PDB file of all heavy atoms in Angstrom:
ATOM      1  N   HIS J 947     -13.541  28.339 -27.225  1.00  0.00           N
ATOM      2  CA  HIS J 947     -14.053  29.627 -27.664  1.00  0.00           C
ATOM      3  C   HIS J 947     -13.441  29.978 -29.039  1.00  0.00           C
ATOM      4  O   HIS J 947     -12.845  31.022 -29.181  1.00  0.00           O
ATOM      5  CB  HIS J 947     -13.882  30.752 -26.685  1.00  0.00           C
ATOM      6  CG  HIS J 947     -12.484  30.720 -26.062  1.00  0.00           C
ATOM      7  ND1 HIS J 947     -12.169  29.911 -24.940  1.00  0.00           N
ATOM      8  CD2 HIS J 947     -11.337  31.339 -26.377  1.00  0.00           C
ATOM      9  CE1 HIS J 947     -10.900  30.106 -24.630  1.00  0.00           C
ATOM     10  NE2 HIS J 947     -10.369  30.969 -25.490  1.00  0.00           N
ATOM     11  N   VAL J 948     -13.626  29.106 -29.994  1.00  0.00           N
ATOM     12  CA  VAL J 948     -13.045  29.253 -31.339  1.00  0.00           C
ATOM     13  C   VAL J 948     -13.854  30.243 -32.143  1.00  0.00           C
ATOM     14  O   VAL J 948     -15.093  30.112 -32.236  1.00  0.00           O
ATOM     15  CB  VAL J 948     -12.979  27.901 -32.082  1.00  0.00           C
ATOM     16  CG1 VAL J 948     -12.507  28.110 -33.500  1.00  0.00           C
ATOM     17  CG2 VAL J 948     -12.111  26.918 -31.310  1.00  0.00           C
ATOM     18  N   LYS J 949     -13.150  31.219 -32.727  1.00  0.00           N
ATOM     19  CA  LYS J 949     -13.880  32.147 -33.641  1.00  0.00           C
ATOM     20  C   LYS J 949     -13.461  31.919 -35.111  1.00  0.00           C
ATOM     21  O   LYS J 949     -14.216  32.058 -36.022  1.00  0.00           O
ATOM     22  CB  LYS J 949     -13.511  33.577 -33.243  1.00  0.00           C
ATOM     23  CG  LYS J 949     -13.926  33.995 -31.829  1.00  0.00           C
ATOM     24  CD  LYS J 949     -14.506  35.408 -31.825  1.00  0.00           C
ATOM     25  CE  LYS J 949     -15.087  35.786 -30.481  1.00  0.00           C
ATOM     26  NZ  LYS J 949     -15.959  34.688 -29.947  1.00  0.00           N
ATOM     27  N   SER J 950     -12.144  31.540 -35.289  1.00  0.00           N
ATOM     28  CA  SER J 950     -11.672  31.448 -36.662  1.00  0.00           C
ATOM     29  C   SER J 950     -10.948  30.103 -36.874  1.00  0.00           C
ATOM     30  O   SER J 950     -10.202  29.662 -35.985  1.00  0.00           O
ATOM     31  CB  SER J 950     -10.708  32.593 -37.001  1.00  0.00           C
ATOM     32  OG  SER J 950      -9.630  32.545 -36.045  1.00  0.00           O
ATOM     33  N   VAL J 951     -11.212  29.465 -38.009  1.00  0.00           N
ATOM     34  CA  VAL J 951     -10.627  28.141 -38.313  1.00  0.00           C
ATOM     35  C   VAL J 951     -10.064  28.152 -39.745  1.00  0.00           C
ATOM     36  O   VAL J 951     -10.651  28.708 -40.668  1.00  0.00           O
ATOM     37  CB  VAL J 951     -11.707  27.035 -38.226  1.00  0.00           C
ATOM     38  CG1 VAL J 951     -11.083  25.687 -38.559  1.00  0.00           C
ATOM     39  CG2 VAL J 951     -12.373  27.009 -36.840  1.00  0.00           C
ATOM     40  N   LEU J 952      -8.893  27.547 -39.884  1.00  0.00           N
ATOM     41  CA  LEU J 952      -8.308  27.325 -41.191  1.00  0.00           C
ATOM     42  C   LEU J 952      -8.343  25.798 -41.452  1.00  0.00           C
ATOM     43  O   LEU J 952      -7.873  25.030 -40.615  1.00  0.00           O
ATOM     44  CB  LEU J 952      -6.857  27.827 -41.251  1.00  0.00           C
ATOM     45  CG  LEU J 952      -6.075  27.443 -42.533  1.00  0.00           C
ATOM     46  CD1 LEU J 952      -6.707  27.931 -43.805  1.00  0.00           C
ATOM     47  CD2 LEU J 952      -4.619  27.916 -42.413  1.00  0.00           C
ATOM     48  N   ILE J 953      -8.924  25.424 -42.595  1.00  0.00           N
ATOM     49  CA  ILE J 953      -8.916  23.999 -43.026  1.00  0.00           C
ATOM     50  C   ILE J 953      -8.032  23.892 -44.281  1.00  0.00           C
ATOM     51  O   ILE J 953      -8.282  24.589 -45.263  1.00  0.00           O
ATOM     52  CB  ILE J 953     -10.334  23.502 -43.297  1.00  0.00           C
ATOM     53  CG1 ILE J 953     -11.216  23.669 -42.042  1.00  0.00           C
ATOM     54  CG2 ILE J 953     -10.309  22.073 -43.780  1.00  0.00           C
ATOM     55  CD1 ILE J 953     -12.717  23.582 -42.355  1.00  0.00           C
ATOM     56  N   ILE J 954      -7.038  23.057 -44.215  1.00  0.00           N
ATOM     57  CA  ILE J 954      -6.185  22.829 -45.405  1.00  0.00           C
ATOM     58  C   ILE J 954      -6.620  21.449 -46.035  1.00  0.00           C
ATOM     59  O   ILE J 954      -6.722  20.454 -45.287  1.00  0.00           O
ATOM     60  CB  ILE J 954      -4.707  22.691 -45.024  1.00  0.00           C
ATOM     61  CG1 ILE J 954      -4.236  23.971 -44.273  1.00  0.00           C
ATOM     62  CG2 ILE J 954      -3.822  22.443 -46.286  1.00  0.00           C
ATOM     63  CD1 ILE J 954      -4.027  25.194 -45.114  1.00  0.00           C
ATOM     64  N   GLY J 955      -6.942  21.436 -47.329  1.00  0.00           N
ATOM     65  CA  GLY J 955      -7.499  20.271 -47.890  1.00  0.00           C
ATOM     66  C   GLY J 955      -9.032  20.228 -47.599  1.00  0.00           C
ATOM     67  O   GLY J 955      -9.702  21.258 -47.684  1.00  0.00           O
ATOM     68  N   GLY J 956      -9.508  19.078 -47.258  1.00  0.00           N
ATOM     69  CA  GLY J 956     -10.880  18.986 -46.760  1.00  0.00           C
ATOM     70  C   GLY J 956     -11.922  19.404 -47.818  1.00  0.00           C
ATOM     71  O   GLY J 956     -13.035  19.856 -47.474  1.00  0.00           O
ATOM     72  N   GLY J 957     -11.572  19.228 -49.123  1.00  0.00           N
ATOM     73  CA  GLY J 957     -12.436  19.679 -50.163  1.00  0.00           C
ATOM     74  C   GLY J 957     -13.777  19.005 -50.197  1.00  0.00           C
ATOM     75  O   GLY J 957     -14.707  19.439 -50.898  1.00  0.00           O
ATOM     76  N   ASP J 958     -13.933  17.928 -49.395  1.00  0.00           N
ATOM     77  CA  ASP J 958     -15.275  17.226 -49.418  1.00  0.00           C
ATOM     78  C   ASP J 958     -16.238  18.006 -48.498  1.00  0.00           C
ATOM     79  O   ASP J 958     -17.424  17.689 -48.473  1.00  0.00           O
ATOM     80  CB  ASP J 958     -15.135  15.805 -48.952  1.00  0.00           C
ATOM     81  CG  ASP J 958     -14.374  15.668 -47.628  1.00  0.00           C
ATOM     82  OD1 ASP J 958     -14.733  16.375 -46.669  1.00  0.00           O
ATOM     83  OD2 ASP J 958     -13.406  14.904 -47.579  1.00  0.00           O
TER      84      ASP J 958
END
Side-chain angles (χ1 to χ4, degrees):
H947 44 276
V948 175
K949 298 221 173 314
S950 57
V951 180
L952 170 60
I953 300 164
I954 304 284
D958 52 52

